Amino acid sequence: MAKWKIWVALLVLFVSGVMIGSVGTRMYVRHKLSGIFSRERPAVRNLFVRRLTNELDLTREQREKIEEIASRAAEKFHKLHTQHRSEVEVIVDQSA
């Protein structure tokens, strides 16, 4: 009789771990996506500019031009994300 209680407890523990992991992953992915497409936190733009600056040894003028281009691209990504937000959320929900 005690054996089945142990198995049930282990099963409940395993299922709860899977559920917590799934919810945690979904929240993490949404947070990361919101950071990428946010105007306030231009993560992709900064990474892009930093990588180009380091790899190509850009001058200050070149870096400023790249930042302008990257800012325009980030604005376009933000608009696209805003227009298709519900579709993106569906994809995130299905993949988590």
Side-chain angles (χ1 to χ4, degrees):
M1 186 137 157
K3 284 186 179 183
W4 71 270
K5 288 182 181 180
I6 292 173
W7 284 108
V8 169
L10 287 174
L11 180 65
V12 168
L13 181 64
F14 176 76
V15 170
S16 65
V18 169
M19 291 175 59
I20 290 170
S22 176
V23 170
T25 300
R26 181 175 297 144
M27 290 172 59
Y28 176 78
V29 168
R30 282 189 181 193
H31 174 72
K32 283 296 184 183
L33 283 176
S34 69
I36 289 171
F37 293 110
S38 174
R39 280 187 243 171
E40 293 80 29
R41 298 184 317 186
V44 173
R45 187 190 73 195
N46 290 341
L47 179 64
F48 176 71
V49 171
R50 189 176 329 124
R51 186 170 181 184
L52 283 178
T53 300
N54 291 339
E55 289 183 12
L56 301 176
D57 195 28
L58 300 177
T59 65
R60 179 176 288 181
E61 290 176 1
Q62 290 171 324
R63 180 183 170 120
E64 289 172 359
K65 288 180 182 179
I66 293 293
E67 286 177 347
E68 290 174 18
I69 294 168
S71 292
R72 288 194 304 265
E75 185 64 32
K76 288 179 183 178
F77 277 123
H78 179 73
K79 286 179 184 177
L80 182 68
H81 180 256
T82 302
Q83 292 171 351
H84 299 283
R85 182 179 200 112
S86 61
E87 296 170 44
V88 171
E89 288 179 357
V90 168
I91 292 169
V92 169
D93 287 341
Q94 290 174 349
S95 64

